[in-house]
Amino acid sequence: MKAGIHPDYHTITVKMTDGTEYQTRSTWGKEGDVMALEIDPTAHPAWTGGTGRMLDAGGQVAKFNKRFGGLSLKR
């Protein structure tokens, strides 16, 4: 590697929303910094299987279903 062109790669602590922490290496911050996550795999519905709501802004979902509702992959 060329000297002086790569970012500093060091150890940081990542703090999850439930309070657990782990050490990892990163280019974020400085050596020993703590990255506090607001959303992580233990809290976000995309990973926990929570129910999602489909927001229909201005009838866009209904418009889509009206236009493409008859399409299917069956032959």
Side-chain angles (χ1 to χ4, degrees), residues 26-58:
S26 175
T27 58
W28 179 87
K30 298 181 204 104
E31 179 77 31
D33 280 355
V34 176
M35 178 188 284
L37 299 179
E38 295 177 9
I39 298 175
D40 63 26
T42 61
H44 195 278
W47 289 291
T48 60
T51 59
R53 292 190 337 233
M54 186 182 306
L55 299 176
D56 190 3

Side-chain angles (χ1 to χ4, degrees), residues 12-24:
I12 65 167
T13 302
V14 178
K15 185 174 183 181
M16 307 287 265
T17 56
D18 64 356
T20 58
E21 297 180 349
Y22 66 91
Q23 298 266 325
T24 189

Side-chain angles (χ1 to χ4, degrees), residues 56-69:
D56 190 3
Q60 293 298 311
V61 173
K63 184 178 175 182
F64 179 86
N65 286 336
K66 181 180 175 187
R67 187 169 180 190
F68 299 109

Side-chain angles (χ1 to χ4, degrees), residues 1-7:
M1 291 192 323
K2 285 187 176 180
I5 65 168
H6 298 284

